[in-house]
Amino acid sequence: VIALDVDKRRCELLKKTVSIMGASEKVTVMNKDFLKLDPTQAPYCNVQGIMLDPSCSGSGIRGRSGSEQQDFEGDDGRQRLQNLCAFQTKALSHALRFPRVERIVYSTCSVHREENEDVVQACLGATDGLFSLERCLPNWLRRGQVDTFYGAESCVRVTQEDRCMGFFVACLVRTEPLALAAPGALRRMSAPSQRRAAHDASLEEAEDEEEEKEEGEEEEEEAVANNAGGGARRGGRGSPSRIGSSKEGLVGRARLRSTLRTGLMVQRLLSGRFGRACFY
């Protein structure tokens, strides 16, 4: 785990906290600006998950005075929210540029839509379908504001009415398995993704075998039909029955192939291969 904080004081505090928790061997704390990291350079190019907790208004924190809450009202307050929103959008957009990232959790301790749904909508729309929202904490009743954009209900909202601090959470996941992105990517994928990619590969192999079998059967059926047709033209006894049985067999095999192909497509859909399955 790589933990970053641009503020030196907070970074030192984080190091002490990690040490107290006995996680120093697993967590590397760096005093760096996340926005200045090069996603293509090691070790960041192999990052698989990002938990992004950017600076926010803190409007969901219990105990804030009324004056602090009201600081975001009026022209000056709206300008502050816009500035925060611009920074948060930039941070989330940067997280989406990491080539191996499979999952990004975006969270704030804010109750303002500008810092939450608006940021997610802007960044998600710029990925051209490469990422989508995953429904997090599915049993939590308070969801994202559905009037902002389609899919916002996958996000989680918490207010002080829920008897805890107010916050917002969105989980963005890559829609295409990384095994398709580049050779050797499978070795750097998480265990669940490796299993999914291996399952998809077995489906492809089964389908290839089925297609080869289909071609052989079609050639055999065509030859049988031609021979039967020749027998019918010669007026041979029993020839019509041969033609009928050949047609029935052709229809039966066609239905079987259709059933197998449908089954393979359903398996692809269930395994997450939406992009590939839609072409079948």
Side-chain angles (χ1 to χ4, degrees):
V1 177
I2 301 173
L4 304 173
D5 201 309
V6 69
D7 184 85
K8 187 175 182 179
R9 182 185 62 83
R10 290 198 303 264
C11 190
E12 291 300 321
L13 179 61
L14 180 58
K15 287 181 180 179
K16 291 180 181 179
T17 303
V18 169
S19 178
I20 292 173
M21 298 300 293
S24 298
E25 295 183 359
K26 299 294 184 181
V27 180
T28 302
V29 180
M30 298 182 178
N31 181 207
K32 291 186 176 182
D33 185 350
F34 173 70
L35 294 178
K36 294 182 179 179
L37 297 183
D38 185 351
T40 64
Q41 299 298 315
Y44 315 116
C45 60
N46 292 322
V47 167
Q48 296 176 349
I50 296 177
M51 184 173 180
L52 186 63
D53 183 26
S55 300
C56 69
S57 65
S59 55
I61 298 178
R62 183 182 296 273
R64 286 288 175 92
S65 66
S67 60
E68 288 177 307
Q69 299 284 7
Q70 294 168 5
D71 282 345
F72 295 94
E73 297 179 359
D75 293 340
D76 292 342
R78 283 192 291 270
Q79 184 60 51
R80 289 182 62 189
L81 275 180
Q82 289 177 6
N83 293 340
L84 284 168
C85 177
F87 166 75
Q88 293 153 353
T89 301
K90 188 175 181 180
L92 183 53
S93 296
H94 188 61
L96 290 164
R97 295 191 184 101
F98 283 67
R100 300 296 177 193
V101 68
E102 298 180 39
R103 184 180 300 266
I104 300 172
V105 175
Y106 173 80
S107 66
T108 72
C109 51
S110 170
V111 296
H112 295 299
R113 188 196 72 188
E114 292 87 343
E115 301 178 87
N116 299 325
E117 287 91 351
D118 287 356
V119 172
V120 173
Q121 180 185 19
C123 295
L124 198 61
T127 66
D128 292 329
L130 187 61
F131 284 84
S132 63
L133 282 175
E134 181 178 88
R135 188 177 179 87
C136 48
L137 297 176
N139 295 327
W140 191 263
L141 296 180
R142 197 183 300 277
R143 314 303 303 181
Q145 296 181 359
V146 295
D147 60 338
T148 53
F149 67 97
Y150 177 77
E153 66 276 4
S154 296
C155 306
V156 165
R157 265 186 170 273
V158 178
T159 70
Q160 294 185 6
E161 295 177 5
D162 299 309
R163 299 183 179 181
C164 61
M165 299 291 186
F167 63 87
F168 172 87
V169 180
C171 182
L172 292 77
V173 296
R174 189 180 293 271
T175 56
E176 187 74 6
L178 282 176
L180 303 178
L186 184 60
R187 294 192 300 271
R188 292 183 287 273
M189 293 171 64
S190 62
S193 296
Q194 290 184 28
R195 289 193 295 270
R196 182 176 65 183
H199 177 64
D200 292 338
S202 66
L203 290 178
E204 288 184 354
E205 183 178 355
E207 187 173 7
D208 290 341
E209 292 178 356
E210 178 61 26
E211 288 179 352
E212 292 178 1
K213 185 178 179 181
E214 285 177 15
E215 292 176 358
E217 290 178 348
E218 287 173 356
E219 292 177 358
E220 181 181 353
E221 289 161 357
E222 186 176 352
V224 170
N226 290 336
N227 291 335
R233 285 190 296 272
R234 290 191 298 270
R237 185 175 299 178
S239 295
S241 62
R242 286 188 63 189
I243 296 176
S245 61
S246 177
K247 289 182 178 179
E248 291 174 0
L250 182 61
V251 171
R253 290 189 179 92
R255 288 176 178 173
L256 177 60
R257 288 195 297 269
S258 177
T259 301
L260 291 173
R261 186 176 292 277
T262 302
L264 288 169
M265 180 166 35
V266 170
Q267 286 182 308
R268 286 182 181 278
L269 287 168
L270 293 176
S271 65
R273 293 289 298 279
F274 299 100
R276 291 295 296 276
C278 68
F279 291 107
Y280 288 88

